[in-house]
Amino acid sequence: MTWFRSARDPRVERLDSHVKILVANRGEIAVRILRACRELGVPSVAVYSECDRTALHVRQADEAVDVGPSPAAESYLNIGRILTAAEQTGATAIHPGYGFLAENATFARDCRQSGLVFIGPDADVIETMGGKTTARHAAIEAGVPVVPGTEALPDTLSGAELGACADDVGYPLFIKAVAGGGGRGMRRVASRAGLVPGIAAARSEAGTAFGESAVYLERFLENARHIEVQVLGDQHGTIMPFVERECSIQRRHQKVIEESPSVAVTPDVRAALAGAAVDLCAAVGYTNAGTLEFLLDSENQFYFLEMNTRLQVEHPVTELVTGVDLVQWQIRIARGERLTLDMERVGVPDGHAIECRVYAEDPDAGFMPSPGRISSLRRPSGPGVRDDSGVEAGFEVPVFYDSMISKVVVWAPDRASAIERMRRALSEYEIGGITTAIPALLWVLGQEEFADGRFDTGFLDRALADRAGESFSALPAEETDLAFIAAALFRYFSEGDQRGKGDDDTGPTPWRRAGRLEGLRR
Ligand code: MV4
């Protein structure tokens, strides 16, 4: 049996029975990866910062190591401390999850140099595909269409020269940071007047966020959809593209709702997207899990935007429509196994899946993070519902990290029933002690355009602007709950001596009454 490749000589595969995976992450994704380790019978190591000492992921691992103070730079982002934790526990491989060090080529290289397998693509491939202009180059060379745009803009260009570059690209245009991803350092410019100040602002923002201030220009495609293609590549040259994910529902470049398949993607477009994904991945020698982002316009033309060289937050929707465990496959690929999935299974959706990200944010305060202690928690369950959560009652949601605490993912045979199922699941969620954006998710799910699948990347920002700050906290669903509680209280206190003597066919049974009272007492 092949096992993890020897890190000291990447070309040699050796038998190694001492496989142990360190999960260099926290929250729901650490929990997700640790579950995969458990199912594969692979021992695991968790790492935690000071504020995560009692976190769920810590107790899900076989061992756990303190990697430092709460600020990420001193713990989850500290390469030296993570590598020391691996050495101390005898870990042989590192799964980076998403965020933190997941797309850091230096980290991937350092793992390799320390004799550890990095569960992801090679450092060189992370470097090529992690830079947006280098990734665009690779796409052009592989014959994959990209949005019209420029190279990185030299900072020696005059205003007039920048204006000429912009005229070639055409307005409206997007100023994008070469480094980073996820929408930071991006700026839409409608006309020549906004160009030079926009470039200055984008450079400064990118410099602060990524330590690299280079920017370039792209034509801004309006009324397009954000469609992405998951791939897995093994170390024997096989690349498998999966059915697309639709990720157009974003707020300030933060994804909110994702689904698979996309209502806009026909079988022909799906096949073309898959072909483009394979061509580009093959050209750069891509291995392990990755995702290619595309824009799809209303004429069914698609354009490659960028690649994420890691597992993504929204990977569960793909898992639910294909029945493939992507995290298990990441581990199996890293230990040299061949992909044995069939194209029919991964390329054609079975039913429909939707994911809603549950953020600890206050939608009535401009979606400000709302950290704090979770006093009580009732999680959704039942048919077709998966809740990938990183928290539990009693846990203090830290101020130091991303505010996403859970992902509710549903599967149903068709999109309409998946939406209904999601509304049911979200209304089961009860999170006490902190504020979450669940009311805003329920509002989006109730929009006619969403139900009809008539939306593009501009939908959520437009719909939020149309609400003009109207409160989310007085939604009908919640009013119904309040009315129910009031009615139950009224009934209980007004029945007096009549309790138990009434007609039990119409009133609550003693069991139900007892249950309700028990609930009210909490
Ligand atoms: C674009 C685009 C339109 N034209 N690029 C946003 C996240 C990043 N990974 C890519 N993104 C976009 N790139 C060009 N040339 C539209 C988006 C986009 C978007 C833009 C504004 C508001 C919401 C959006 C949601 C998804 C994608």
Side-chain angles (χ1 to χ4, degrees):
M1 183 168 76
T2 53
W3 207 225
F4 279 117
R5 295 201 314 193
S6 161
R8 292 187 199 289
D9 182 351
R11 290 157 304 172
V12 176
E13 283 172 14
R14 63 174 176 159
L15 192 76
D16 181 356
S17 55
H18 305 292
V19 171
K20 190 190 265 191
I21 295 176
L22 181 142
V23 179
N25 216 300
R26 65 177 303 279
E28 70 84 19
I29 198 62
V31 170
R32 168 73 187 90
I33 298 160
L34 290 164
R35 284 179 169 143
C37 291
R38 185 61 50 90
E39 288 177 12
L40 287 172
V42 176
S44 59
V45 181
V47 294
Y48 61 93
S49 70
E50 197 175 336
C51 62
D52 275 341
R53 200 167 39 82
T54 62
L56 187 57
H57 77 276
V58 174
R59 273 169 293 121
Q60 222 134 5
D62 297 315
E63 290 168 79
V65 182
D66 181 340
V67 287
S70 304
E74 297 173 53
S75 48
Y76 298 112
L77 276 172
N78 188 307
I79 293 178
R81 292 204 175 121
I82 300 286
L83 293 178
T84 302
E87 194 188 335
Q88 280 168 353
T89 52
T92 61
I94 295 194
H95 196 307
Y98 55 70
F100 298 124
L101 297 169
E103 292 177 277
N104 185 317
T106 304
F107 179 60
R109 215 164 267 136
D110 289 353
C111 285
R112 195 45 62 94
Q113 253 145 36
S114 307
L116 295 159
V117 171
F118 176 81
I119 303 178
D122 286 342
D124 298 348
V125 177
I126 296 178
E127 224 147 52
T128 305
M129 299 313 279
K132 275 181 275 195
T133 44
T134 43
R136 272 168 62 86
H137 264 282
I140 294 165
E141 256 163 60
V144 172
V146 299
V147 184
T150 66
E151 300 289 330
L153 300 170
D155 28 325
T156 50
L157 293 187
S158 67
E161 287 167 324
L162 291 173
C165 287
D167 288 340
D168 285 345
V169 172
Y171 294 94
L173 55 77
F174 229 171
I175 307 167
K176 294 188 174 187
V178 170
R184 282 190 304 167
M186 302 197 333
R187 243 180 185 74
R188 184 183 184 279
V189 174
S191 66
R192 177 70 177 79
L195 184 69
V196 174
I199 289 172
R203 276 190 177 136
S204 131
E205 199 177 307
T208 312
F210 315 117
E212 195 196 323
S213 61
V215 299
Y216 70 106
L217 306 178
E218 262 182 22
R219 166 87 56 81
F220 188 100
L221 294 192
E222 287 175 292
N223 314 116
R225 288 168 183 264
H226 186 282
I227 303 288
E228 57 186 36
V229 178
Q230 171 77 55
V231 296
L232 284 178
D234 70 18
Q235 298 182 42
H236 309 275
T238 299
I239 292 155
M240 292 217 132
F242 286 67
V243 54
E244 78 285 346
R245 293 189 288 252
E246 159 78 68
C247 305
S248 299
I249 310 289
Q250 307 190 7
R251 200 194 139 265
R252 302 222 178 131
H253 305 306
Q254 183 171 259
K255 292 171 187 162
V256 175
I257 300 177
E258 304 99 336
E259 58 183 306
S260 181
S262 166
V263 292
V265 173
T266 59
D268 283 355
V269 172
R270 181 168 299 137
L273 281 165
V278 171
D279 289 347
L280 182 47
C281 289
V284 299
Y286 199 87
T287 57
N288 217 286
T291 294
L292 298 97
E293 288 185 5
F294 295 92
L295 285 175
L296 176 69
D297 71 15
S298 43
E299 263 88 64
N300 269 351
Q301 293 299 309
F302 61 79
Y303 307 88
F304 170 76
L305 281 182
E306 58 188 273
M307 182 166 192
N308 303 306
T309 58
R310 53 168 158 85
L311 182 69
Q312 282 193 277
V313 175
E314 59 271 27
H315 75 275
V317 293
T318 303
E319 296 190 320
L320 293 188
V321 295
T322 62
V324 173
D325 188 314
L326 291 168
V327 182
Q328 282 196 14
W329 271 108
Q330 285 193 283
I331 296 168
R332 295 174 66 175
I333 286 167
R335 70 188 186 194
E337 285 189 38
R338 278 175 194 279
L339 273 167
T340 53
L341 298 162
D342 73 69
M343 276 303 304
E344 190 68 4
R345 178 157 179 206
V346 306
V348 183
D350 173 16
H352 201 93
I354 305 178
E355 169 178 284
C356 283
R357 301 189 185 190
V358 178
Y359 290 102
E361 288 176 351
D362 184 352
D364 288 337
F367 294 87
M368 280 273 289
S370 168
R373 187 175 170 276
I374 297 177
S375 55
S376 62
L377 189 64
R378 189 184 75 174
R379 295 170 52 182
S381 60
V385 176
R386 165 173 167 183
D387 178 33
D388 278 21
S389 163
V391 300
E392 59 196 333
F395 184 68
E396 173 108 24
V397 179
V399 295
F400 299 98
Y401 317 113
D402 186 87
S403 60
M404 192 187 76
I405 53 172
S406 147
K407 307 179 307 206
V408 178
V409 200
V410 302
W411 181 92
D414 57 77
R415 187 169 185 270
S417 18
I419 294 173
E420 280 317 307
R421 182 161 273 173
M422 181 60 86
R423 298 175 73 159
R424 188 268 294 172
L426 289 177
S427 51
E428 282 181 14
Y429 228 139
E430 285 177 15
I431 306 174
I434 59 168
T435 305
T436 74
I438 287 177
L441 290 169
L442 285 167
W443 166 75
V444 176
L445 294 170
Q447 298 301 297
E448 207 177 294
E449 295 96 322
F450 182 79
D452 298 344
R454 280 186 289 114
F455 56 83
D456 57 39
T457 55
F459 167 75
L460 188 52
D461 290 332
R462 274 196 307 270
L464 282 168
D466 288 349
R467 275 181 72 89
E470 189 193 327
S471 169
F472 286 99
S473 59
L475 284 172
E478 276 169 295
E479 279 170 9
T480 311
D481 274 354
L482 279 177
F484 173 77
I485 292 165
L489 281 167
F490 177 76
R491 187 180 175 111
Y492 176 69
F493 288 116
S494 61
E495 271 172 348
D497 292 348
Q498 301 304 306
R499 272 182 297 159
K501 293 182 186 167
D503 183 354
D504 275 335
D505 283 343
T506 55
T509 67
W511 284 114
R512 282 167 68 187
R513 186 184 294 127
R516 283 177 188 181
L517 286 173
E518 196 63 40
L520 288 174
R521 237 178 259 127
R522 276 187 290 167

